[in-house]
């Protein structure tokens, strides 16, 4: 394999952007394990009493990820996130106003490998607050991450909360409105299909978010992030292959997927875990009004689900030409 090295005279700003993305990759892939290891060292070392105090804190604070989290604006405003967003770059596109008197459930598509668009737009000081004044976004992620000591504090500070039913209900139950639950509908399973050119969404069997929107009267908002699947290549894993079978089994056991992805490095463009510099354009669609129904029937859930799919497809079709998707390409729902 011929290695393509980066030019020596790369502007300093681009180098800083690469470093910003590198630390994000580290945070996403290794920081939780590092924090758990550090906690074990505390327990086994001379500072075991600090670990005991943290365990007490963990016990008292256990429900916080399910009750709105604990966001810190100064963390969301770190300069590193500005360079992170500029690396790709990441942009948020508004198609309709959102009334802050309502609560909303954003369905984010596609998952991609590492959900860069969702993090950049909803967990940092992006243009979200300017485009949608009065709306507070909450990105829901797998509950398992909130069991990692110290790491849980970090991700909560960015505005992430648990993806449990209790957590989503808490966010959407705000009587004054102005809350937006962001749920990556395809989940971990969809990340195994994330590769350049892929337009396959795991959504046909995912109706829990529809039921949640009905129970709380939260307006549904389809969101499509163009470019999300272009950031990494993945080792071939077609359905039925031994690799895909292993990945599927591990995902069922652990709750999260393990896509074997690769892209570029720090000083060369041929291999590594740094994502490609591909623009991410996250388009927020128009809200679908939802009337509260505490006990929706299966038929009502199916009808709203079908309407959501229709609006999501329409959103994609209206914007695909703007963001480089060929006219003959369309979404595939599985």
């Amino acid at each position: 394999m011929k290695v393509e090295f980066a030019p020596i005279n790369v502007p300093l700003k681009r180098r800083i952007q690469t470093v910003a993305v590198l630390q994000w990759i580290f945070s996403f892939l290794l920081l939780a394990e590092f924090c758990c290891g550090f906690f074990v060292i505390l327990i086994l070392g001379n500072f075991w009493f600090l670990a005991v105090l943290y365990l007490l804190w963990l016990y008292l604070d256990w429900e916080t990820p399910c009750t709105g989290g604990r966001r810190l604006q100064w963390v969301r405003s770190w300069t590193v996130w500005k360079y992170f967003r500029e690396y790709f770059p990441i942009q948020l596109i508004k198609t309709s106003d959102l009334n802050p008197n309502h609560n909303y459930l954003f369905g984010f598509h596609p998952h991609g490998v590492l959900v860069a668009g969702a993090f950049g737009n909803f967990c940092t000081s992006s243009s979200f607050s300017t485009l949608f004044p009065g709306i507070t976004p909450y990105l829901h992620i797998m509950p398992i991450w909130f069991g990692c000591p110290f790491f849980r504090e970090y991700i909560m500070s960015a505005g992430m909360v648990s993806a449990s039913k209790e957590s989503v209900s808490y966010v959407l139950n705000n009587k004054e409105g102005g809350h937006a639950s962001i749920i990556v509908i395809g989940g971990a399973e969809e990340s195994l299909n994330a590769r350049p050119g892929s337009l396959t969404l795991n959504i046909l069997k995912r109706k829990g978010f529809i039921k949640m929107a009905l129970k709380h009267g939260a307006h549904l908002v389809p969101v499509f992030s163009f470019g999300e699947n272009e950031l990494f290549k993945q080792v071939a894993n077609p359905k039925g292959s031994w690799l895909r079978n292993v990945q599927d089994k591990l995902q069922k056991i652990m709750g999260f997927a393990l896509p074997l992805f690769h892209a570029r490095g720090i000083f060369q463009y041929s291999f590594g875990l740094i994502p490609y510099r591909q623009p991410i354009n996250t388009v927020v669609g128009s809200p679908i009004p939802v009337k509260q129904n505490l006990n929706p029937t299966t038929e009502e859930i199916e009808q709203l689900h079908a309407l959501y799919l229709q609006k999501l497809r329409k959103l994609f079709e209206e914007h695909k030409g703007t963001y480089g998707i060929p006219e003959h390409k369309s979404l595939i729902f599985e």
Side-chain angles (χ1 to χ4, degrees):
M1 179 181 66
K2 184 178 179 180
V3 179
E4 181 185 357
F5 289 96
I8 298 177
N9 59 343
V10 172
L12 177 60
K13 185 176 181 179
R14 288 175 65 88
R15 291 294 191 196
I16 296 175
Q17 292 170 355
T18 302
V19 172
V21 171
L22 177 63
Q23 70 81 28
W24 173 73
I25 290 288
F26 168 77
S27 298
F28 205 106
L29 299 181
L30 297 173
L31 187 57
E33 291 82 354
F34 178 85
C35 288
C36 289
F38 179 69
F39 183 72
V40 171
I41 292 174
L42 285 179
I43 292 177
L44 300 178
N46 295 328
F47 297 96
W48 57 268
F49 60 92
L50 294 178
V52 172
L53 289 175
Y54 185 80
L55 282 176
L56 177 60
W57 162 255
L58 198 61
Y59 173 77
L60 296 173
D61 194 58
W62 188 254
E63 294 299 323
T64 299
C66 295
T67 54
R70 187 170 44 250
R71 70 181 57 218
L72 297 174
Q73 190 56 38
W74 74 275
V75 174
R76 292 167 58 88
S77 301
W78 282 351
T79 303
V80 68
W81 303 133
K82 171 180 174 291
Y83 288 108
F84 167 79
R85 294 192 303 269
E86 290 177 348
Y87 172 89
F88 299 96
I90 295 175
Q91 291 187 325
L92 190 66
I93 294 91
K94 168 183 175 180
T95 63
S96 176
D97 290 334
L98 296 183
N99 188 336
N101 294 324
H102 296 300
N103 293 315
Y104 299 90
L105 195 158
F106 286 26
F108 185 92
H109 312 271
H111 183 289
V113 172
L114 298 180
V115 210
F119 178 84
N121 285 307
F122 307 122
C123 295
T124 71
S125 294
S126 65
S127 60
F128 184 90
S129 59
T130 302
L131 294 175
F132 304 106
I135 307 293
T136 303
Y138 295 83
L139 179 60
H140 296 271
I141 65 173
M142 289 186 300
I144 188 175
W145 297 118
F146 296 99
C148 298
F150 307 119
F151 182 70
R152 69 190 293 275
E153 321 300 336
Y154 179 57
I155 57 180
M156 276 198 290
S157 69
M160 294 182 227
V161 291
S162 172
S164 66
K165 292 181 181 179
E166 296 78 12
S167 177
V168 177
S169 291
Y170 182 91
V171 173
L172 297 180
N173 204 34
N174 186 36
K175 301 302 181 183
E176 297 178 356
H179 281 187
S181 281
I182 291 93
I183 301 178
V184 185
I185 305 300
E189 182 182 357
E190 193 173 87
S191 68
L192 298 177
N193 292 325
R195 52 177 44 85
S198 175
L199 295 173
T200 300
L201 303 181
N202 290 54
I203 191 173
L204 292 182
K205 296 181 180 179
R206 297 180 182 262
K207 300 170 185 176
F209 73 104
I210 298 292
K211 186 176 182 179
M212 193 65 68
L214 282 166
K215 283 189 171 184
H216 293 279
H219 295 194
L220 282 166
V221 181
V223 179
F224 195 88
S225 195
F226 291 89
E228 196 74 44
N229 282 339
E230 310 303 313
L231 306 183
F232 298 96
K233 294 179 181 177
Q234 218 180 131
V235 175
N237 60 341
K239 291 184 178 180
S241 66
W242 68 269
L243 176 58
R244 186 58 169 263
N245 290 336
V246 169
Q247 289 173 320
D248 288 339
K249 289 179 180 178
L250 288 176
Q251 190 237 319
K252 291 178 181 179
I253 295 173
M254 300 184 298
F256 56 90
L258 294 173
L260 299 181
F261 63 92
H262 58 94
R264 51 159 290 188
I266 301 176
F267 301 110
Q268 45 75 30
Y269 303 139
S270 300
F271 59 88
L273 297 179
I274 305 294
Y276 294 117
R277 283 183 182 267
Q278 294 289 338
I280 300 174
N281 294 287
T282 304
V283 184
V284 180
S286 300
I288 303 170
V290 177
K291 185 177 180 180
Q292 187 173 23
N293 184 346
L294 296 178
N295 295 293
T297 64
T298 301
E299 183 181 359
E300 289 169 331
I301 293 173
E302 292 286 351
Q303 288 177 349
L304 185 55
H305 186 259
L307 177 60
Y308 179 85
L309 294 183
Q310 177 186 333
K311 295 295 185 180
L312 175 60
R313 188 180 294 279
K314 180 181 178 183
L315 178 70
F316 174 81
E317 292 294 331
E318 288 178 346
H319 293 87
K320 67 179 183 181
T322 304
Y323 302 114
I325 306 295
E327 184 62 30
H328 68 279
K329 292 277 189 176
S330 295
L331 293 177
I332 300 172
F333 295 147
E334 289 188 346

